[in-house]
Amino acid sequence: MGSGIAGLTFALKAARYAKVLIITKKEQAESNTNYAQGGIASVISSDDSYKLHIKDTLETGAGLSHLDAVEQIVKNGPHLINELIKLGVNFSRSNGKLELGMEGGHSRNRIVHAKDLTGKEVERALLFNVSKNKNIAILEHHTAIDLITEHNLIRKKKNNYTSCYGAYVFDELNEKIITVISKLCVICTGGVGQVYLHTTNPAIATGDGIAIGYRAGCKIGNMEFVQFHPTSLYENKPEDQNSQAFLISEALRGAGAILKTRSGEDFMHKYDARGSLAPRDIAARAIDNEMKKSGDEYVYLDAAQLKEKDIKNEFPNIYKKCLSKGINMLKDMIPVVPSAHYMCGGIVSDLNGKTSLNRLYVLGEASMTGVHGANRLASNSLLEALVFADKAAKQCRAELASSKHVKTENIPEWDSSGTENTEEWVLISQNRNEIKQVMSNYVGIVRSNLRLNRALRRIKLIKSEIETFYKKTRISRELLELRNMAQVSYLIIHSALLRRESRGLHYSTDYPKLNKKYLKDTIITNFTVK
Ligand SMILES: Cc1cc2nc3c(=O)[nH]c(=O)nc-3n(C[C@H](O)[C@H](O)[C@H](O)COP(=O)(O)OP(=O)(O)OC[C@H]3O[C@@H](n4cnc5c(N)ncnc54)[C@H](O)[C@@H]3O)c2cc1C
């Protein structure tokens, strides 16, 4: 499920020994991957080492990153970057060597990139290879609804499901629901940014896979750790419901751009010795604090001291976008605000991408592998997706070779009796908006018990309204997304309430300090949360 870096990489590898069906919600390229700017972190330079990359990742993860998972991504990075190059990805080079960018939290230049459009280039090359592969089929505009588990087979609710047999999928163009039965199923559905008003994520990022996994009984971990990117372009326009904020890549700060208040003060040194290159959580909280203090709706990023040729060569996309908004970054400062950007938590997986359900895997942003802990180091997420897709493909090969025949005769078709087409679109759009408001106002960068409990009450109500409506209404993609957004919002709030400390991306005014008692992942399941 999903055609971003995780789904496509897995598909290409699994297609060496099996037939792969990719279902994807919109057009095949539409994914978070397609918008990634900065690049992929990897130890390439002679002054760098695995040890340093591991150290930077663990430090950013604020005590919760799993060493074994971090070692996996760091040590497998270089050869998988080479594989991408062999697949045709054109990374930026100077004098024939890979150009290595710098980003916040990294102690060395190690960001392999394709100018400031890395994701688009990776997605292009992967899709091109997929299109030539006879063992892979892609169904666009197909949205996964729910997994098929024992629940569907025996038609009664057990308190523990153990296996996945496939999924029910909504074919949007033909408005019908199909049953996809598969020997193995891999959730690669990306992040959850759309539950917030300001997000760098595209409209597809509604947390579907995580909600689907949760409903099927998977373990879900660390949902409280939502990364807000400190710098997205501030635009003075009313938010449309699915809007995506334009990201001003951290690589620009890596190249020397400085965060400033509207009055021109370089404020970051008050918060962190690394100044504007502090990790994202620190930068986002500092900006949030400066904005609250001054009442301003944004701060500035000043890149005017960079060389014109560097800006035009390294950041052509950002330069063009700013110009289209009347901002000439060669001389004007860029107005920026923090936006929801990345979900560190997700469906818990082992070191091979396997979930707690048999025959079900999870990869990429929808997963919680243990790499990111309480905070993600910039450009580690594309790397994580690459590495775990590679490992899962190997594990799946072994699993297919040893698995017994699975009985699938009893799987029922989707039952839509008792449902009707809706004219009440306003209910869907209103609920969607409410969720975004609640999450942005009460479950954002700075949290408190009061805000979280208020958010929990609101989301519970919205969720139960949606469930009632869902049972009576013909499936549409919008309705499925709304149901999933309410579900993942609930998981974020619930997890945030369980963590009574401030760590990494989770900051609570009631518990402003680290507490050793909470040096552990927040794990919940459908059967433990009421
Ligand atoms: C603006 C931006 C810049 C970024 N920059 C970087 C960077 O420089 N470096 C870095 O490492 N990371 C970066 N990230 C994060 C990184 O891009 C993502 O974490 C990564 O691309 C996730 O890949 P994925 O394959 O897991 O998910 P995605 O690429 O989001 O793909 C998810 C896929 O699942 C599909 N899907 C969703 N729901 C369903 C459903 N119900 N049924 C069927 N299909 C579904 C979607 O349509 C999509 O095809 C950035 C993210 C953004 C938004």
Side-chain angles (χ1 to χ4, degrees):
M1 299 172 183
S3 56
I5 188 170
L8 297 177
T9 307
F10 175 83
L12 283 170
K13 291 178 181 246
R16 293 176 191 156
Y17 56 81
K19 289 221 178 283
V20 184
L21 172 69
I22 301 176
I23 58 151
T24 190
K25 193 154 73 167
K26 289 197 172 168
E27 294 79 27
Q28 55 187 6
E30 191 56 5
S31 57
N32 273 3
T33 303
N34 206 36
Y35 297 92
Q37 295 181 350
I40 311 178
S42 186
V43 174
I44 308 274
S45 158
S46 55
D47 73 343
D48 199 1
S49 67
Y50 292 155
K51 216 170 148 188
L52 282 174
H53 190 181
I54 291 169
K55 182 169 170 276
D56 293 344
T57 305
L58 294 178
E59 253 172 45
T60 305
L64 288 191
S65 295
H66 303 185
L67 178 61
D68 50 4
V70 174
E71 281 177 345
Q72 289 297 329
I73 64 153
V74 168
K75 293 181 180 172
N76 284 301
H79 86 87
L80 292 174
I81 294 283
N82 269 332
E83 274 192 14
L84 282 182
I85 294 169
K86 283 190 193 134
L87 286 175
V89 177
N90 277 313
F91 289 119
S92 299
R93 290 175 182 269
S94 71
N95 301 324
K97 284 191 172 162
L98 285 174
E99 227 173 57
L100 300 173
M102 167 60 94
E103 290 188 324
H106 288 276
S107 59
R108 291 289 184 277
N109 282 49
R110 62 168 76 101
I111 317 299
V112 180
H113 57 278
K115 296 207 185 288
D116 57 354
L117 287 170
T118 309
K120 200 170 189 156
E121 174 57 10
V122 170
E123 186 76 19
R124 179 201 64 74
L126 291 175
L127 279 173
F128 176 72
N129 283 278
V130 162
S131 71
K132 290 189 307 183
N133 195 310
K134 293 203 172 59
N135 270 348
I136 307 177
I138 297 198
L139 293 176
E140 293 181 312
H141 302 286
H142 278 66
T143 304
I145 306 172
D146 267 318
L147 297 174
I148 300 167
T149 61
E150 282 86 357
H151 168 56
N152 306 92
L153 294 187
I154 57 178
R155 284 175 185 262
K156 74 174 193 209
K157 193 166 167 61
K158 289 200 336 173
N159 66 353
N160 209 349
Y161 314 137
T162 58
S163 300
C164 168
Y165 301 87
Y168 293 112
V169 175
F170 177 56
D171 168 356
E172 189 173 348
L173 301 183
N174 296 304
E175 291 189 46
K176 61 177 192 194
I177 291 157
I178 58 172
T179 307
V180 179
I181 298 168
S182 59
K183 287 186 178 159
L184 297 170
C185 183
V186 192
I187 294 179
C188 308
T189 47
V192 309
Q194 282 292 331
V195 304
Y196 289 92
L197 276 175
H198 292 278
T199 177
T200 61
N201 292 189
I204 54 101
T206 47
D208 297 4
I210 299 175
I212 287 171
Y214 173 75
R215 286 193 292 266
C218 290
K219 284 186 186 162
I220 308 290
N222 289 352
M223 291 293 288
E224 66 273 36
F225 298 119
V226 181
Q227 185 168 65
F228 285 79
H229 197 291
T231 55
S232 70
L233 183 64
Y234 171 81
E235 293 189 63
N236 186 14
K237 65 167 173 49
E239 290 293 327
D240 112 38
Q241 280 218 327
N242 301 319
S243 70
Q244 177 184 13
F246 182 77
L247 182 77
I248 304 291
S249 165
E250 190 153 334
L252 199 60
R253 283 184 285 135
I258 308 284
L259 283 163
K260 293 184 174 169
T261 59
R262 282 181 81 178
S263 58
E265 184 200 353
D266 168 359
F267 60 88
M268 276 307 298
H269 284 284
K270 289 192 299 199
Y271 299 89
D272 193 281
R274 287 163 286 190
S276 289
L277 265 183
R280 289 181 181 172
D281 56 326
I282 297 173
R285 264 200 308 279
I287 295 172
D288 190 61
N289 196 39
E290 289 295 323
M291 281 167 41
K292 287 204 170 103
K293 259 185 1 195
S294 62
D296 290 337
E297 287 183 11
Y298 52 86
V299 295
Y300 279 119
L301 185 65
D302 187 359
Q305 69 281 18
L306 272 63
K307 291 194 184 113
E308 180 171 346
K309 89 168 179 352
D310 289 346
I311 288 187
K312 288 186 174 166
N313 277 339
E314 298 299 314
F315 307 103
N317 186 39
I318 297 177
Y319 176 65
K320 214 166 85 199
K321 176 74 182 187
C322 286
L323 267 191
S324 77
K325 300 285 166 192
I327 304 157
N328 180 355
M329 60 190 272
L330 298 175
K331 54 185 179 64
D332 303 328
M333 296 199 286
I334 309 166
V336 291
V337 280
S339 284
H341 185 57
Y342 184 81
M343 169 46 84
C344 290
I347 302 174
V348 175
S349 88
D350 69 9
L351 290 179
N352 292 312
K354 223 168 159 6
T355 68
S356 48
L357 253 65
N358 294 327
R359 291 192 283 280
L360 180 67
Y361 288 73
V362 62
L363 299 171
E365 194 166 336
S367 69
M368 199 285 265
T369 62
V371 164
H372 308 301
N375 192 4
R376 174 188 70 131
L377 182 65
S379 287
N380 264 356
S381 42
L382 293 172
L383 176 64
E384 180 197 41
L386 270 182
V387 171
F388 278 80
D390 181 59
K391 295 184 61 107
K394 288 179 185 139
Q395 175 69 23
C396 284
R397 178 174 216 156
E399 188 170 338
L400 282 182
S402 67
S403 70
K404 290 185 232 106
H405 174 69
V406 181
K407 274 196 179 171
T408 50
E409 299 86 61
N410 293 337
I411 293 176
E413 294 295 308
W414 182 262
D415 181 6
S416 23
S417 53
T419 62
E420 288 174 2
N421 283 331
T422 185
E423 297 301 318
E424 298 282 13
W425 291 102
V426 66
L427 296 184
I428 295 182
S429 62
Q430 176 62 22
N431 272 165
R432 192 173 174 122
N433 213 19
E434 276 170 347
I435 291 173
K436 283 168 170 274
Q437 293 281 356
V438 169
M439 293 303 286
S440 300
N441 292 338
Y442 304 142
V443 200
I445 296 171
V446 175
R447 299 159 180 182
S448 69
N449 283 341
L450 198 66
R451 290 184 214 177
L452 289 176
N453 279 312
R454 184 173 282 202
L456 191 71
R457 285 195 296 276
R458 302 282 196 280
I459 292 291
K460 267 188 173 172
L461 180 65
I462 296 171
K463 202 164 146 295
S464 81
E465 279 173 9
I466 294 169
E467 278 306 318
T468 311
F469 186 62
Y470 179 77
K471 286 190 182 121
K472 294 192 290 197
T473 310
R474 274 276 155 89
I475 297 280
S476 65
R477 180 177 44 76
E478 291 82 353
L479 180 58
L480 293 172
E481 289 181 339
L482 178 68
R483 181 179 182 229
N484 292 330
M485 285 168 70
Q487 184 66 73
V488 290
S489 298
Y490 181 74
L491 296 176
I492 295 170
I493 302 166
H494 187 80
S495 306
L497 278 165
L498 289 175
R499 185 166 292 283
R500 296 189 180 143
E501 64 162 354
S502 291
R503 182 184 297 276
L505 299 165
H506 174 72
Y507 185 82
S508 161
T509 52
D510 293 298
Y511 315 103
K513 296 211 170 98
L514 282 176
N515 181 341
K516 269 197 222 140
K517 220 174 110 191
Y518 292 94
L519 190 59
K520 57 183 180 196
D521 297 322
T522 308
I523 305 289
I524 50 185
T525 74
N526 202 353
F527 309 112
T528 58
V529 176
K530 291 288 156 252

